[in-house]
Amino acid sequence: MERTFILLKPDCVQRRLMGRILARFEDKGLNVVAMKMLQITPELAKQHYAEHVQKGWYPTLEEFVTGGPVVAAVLEGLEAIRVVREMLGATNGLQAAPGTIRGDFSSSRQMNLVHGSDGAESAAREIALYFKPSDFCDDTPTISKWMRAADEA
Ligand code: CDP
Ligand code: MG
């Protein structure tokens, strides 16, 4: 099992898409193991997007992600990091494939609704940035045996 970090960005919350987006991850069989709503501070934004802080477009990204409440969550599942990134689609909603979250709901390069960790290292870093160990609710849903064969996990 693998864990990945997602962030429902302010556009997702404002557009009342939280439920529909979370439903996609639940439908896929991913388990929500931690979740909270918060407002990102400029300091947290700089930590989260450390790799982009020097980019010319970073100030507008910071203004966007700190501009309203967000929902942070940790999803667990087989190959969860790759699976979630593929469900999100390309960064720019105009280029994201239909069927992906960004392809279906976003027409923007910045307001693309959901962040997902892009690798094992960033997943571990981002999970630790938003959650502490006691925030996790470890629980194996009873439906798990109908989601995949026993020898797949
Ligand atoms: O989120 P993803 O990993 O697909 O994209 P990224 O290239 O790591 O950029 C992080 C986030 O910055 C994007 O999801 C956009 O919200 C935002 N962004 C932006 O505001 N302007 C750009 N030119 C590129 C990205
Ligand atoms: Mg990225």
Side-chain angles (χ1 to χ4, degrees):
M1 284 301 223
E2 190 172 74
R3 285 179 173 182
T4 191
F5 174 79
I6 62 160
L7 188 73
L8 306 185
K9 300 182 187 186
D11 54 333
C12 184
V13 177
Q14 295 300 326
R15 290 177 57 192
R16 307 309 197 242
L17 289 171
M18 286 187 288
R20 289 164 74 185
I21 302 287
L22 284 170
R24 288 199 175 212
F25 296 124
E26 292 190 308
D27 287 348
K28 179 67 178 170
L30 291 154
N31 299 328
V32 178
V33 294
M35 184 156 71
K36 70 175 164 194
M37 194 173 211
L38 71 152
Q39 183 124 8
I40 295 182
T41 61
E43 293 69 35
L44 180 56
K46 287 182 186 75
Q47 288 180 280
H48 179 131
Y49 284 118
E51 62 172 321
H52 296 312
V53 170
Q54 302 305 329
K55 307 238 167 92
W57 45 265
Y58 176 77
T60 66
L61 171 61
E62 183 177 292
E63 191 180 345
F64 164 53
V65 291
T66 61
V70 298
V71 172
V74 179
L75 303 181
E76 186 177 76
L78 295 174
E79 301 178 47
I81 297 169
R82 179 189 58 77
V83 167
V84 167
R85 287 286 290 191
E86 288 184 7
M87 288 176 73
L88 296 187
T91 302
N92 188 332
L94 290 176
Q95 285 149 17
T100 64
I101 290 167
R102 290 164 173 177
D104 286 353
F105 293 105
S106 166
S107 297
S108 166
R109 185 176 61 191
Q110 177 171 85
M111 298 190 182
N112 55 13
L113 301 161
V114 190
H115 165 84
S117 305
D118 64 6
E121 214 174 291
S122 57
R125 191 182 71 81
E126 292 164 7
I127 289 170
L129 198 52
Y130 287 83
F131 295 99
K132 53 187 190 300
S134 61
D135 291 330
F136 289 84
C137 295
D138 289 304
D139 171 53
T140 304
T142 53
I143 200 173
S144 290
K145 69 173 188 167
W146 295 107
M147 302 297 289
R148 68 187 78 85
D151 64 355
E152 291 181 78

